[in-house]
Amino acid sequence: MCREAGLPLSVNPSTEDPARRVDLGTIDEDIVLQLTDLLRRSMKRAYETRDRMRRALAAHGLDAPDLGLADGEIVLGNLTVAAADRLAQLLGAPPRPPRPDRDLDDWPEAQKTVARLQGAFREATGGGFLDLLFLSDCLRCGGEPVVSTGPIPLKSARRLVSALEFGGDR
């Protein structure tokens, strides 16, 4: 990979801790600057995608307070069940007919929301997968029910942002 990027580095995993340390050998200042620039450019797309995601969600009145980056992937974090349902609708899921007795936070309704968001996400991202988990209210910690989302690869995240920016409310 280093050679593909034009960096004359010999990368060798550490024998003491091969999963965490890599020995780059002796490198000069020019290579350090090239490597730094390469890292900065690669992360720039991830940060730009995260920022576009935040703006697109806010434009639709959705709050994702845990939105961030983890290991180069976008993480939406925990969404209220109502926000997850709204996101599913923004991505193309049909609106639910209004029912005064419907409580989205109840287990069966929340599971329907998870399925709606899963399907809408897959359609909007061209087959992308979003790991979703409904976490019901916690009597011990007093937490509200949420739909927890797993990390989204950048390619799928960019498609999601495009769907939010250009797909609009359906």
Side-chain angles (χ1 to χ4, degrees), residues 49-70:
T49 302
R50 181 209 55 200
D51 293 343
R52 281 182 59 208
M53 177 85 66
R54 182 173 284 123
R55 287 190 302 272
L57 291 170
H60 290 289
L62 292 175
D63 184 32
D66 302 325
L67 179 65
L69 285 171

Side-chain angles (χ1 to χ4, degrees), residues 56-155:
L57 291 170
H60 290 289
L62 292 175
D63 184 32
D66 302 325
L67 179 65
L69 285 171
D71 296 324
E73 296 181 310
I74 302 293
V75 177
L76 288 175
N78 292 335
L79 303 172
T80 65
V81 181
D85 192 64
R86 173 87 172 115
L87 180 57
Q89 187 177 339
L90 288 168
L91 296 177
R96 289 185 178 188
R99 254 186 35 213
D101 62 332
R102 177 180 287 143
D103 183 359
L104 289 179
D105 290 344
D106 281 344
W107 187 270
E109 290 298 324
Q111 291 302 323
K112 290 176 188 174
T113 298
V114 167
R116 284 167 44 85
L117 181 53
Q118 189 71 264
F121 182 88
R122 190 174 22 260
E123 283 293 316
T125 60
F129 175 75
L130 179 60
D131 190 17
L132 298 171
L133 177 64
F134 172 62
L135 304 172
S136 61
D137 54 336
C138 178
L139 297 176
R140 188 167 28 122
C141 68
E144 295 294 318
V146 294
V147 175
S148 180
T149 67
I152 305 170
L154 279 181
K155 184 177 181 179

Side-chain angles (χ1 to χ4, degrees), residues 38-48 69 72:
L38 183 65
L39 290 170
R40 197 174 282 133
R41 276 188 281 136
S42 70
M43 288 304 296
K44 182 179 179 185
R45 291 189 74 187
Y47 284 114
E48 286 172 348
L69 285 171

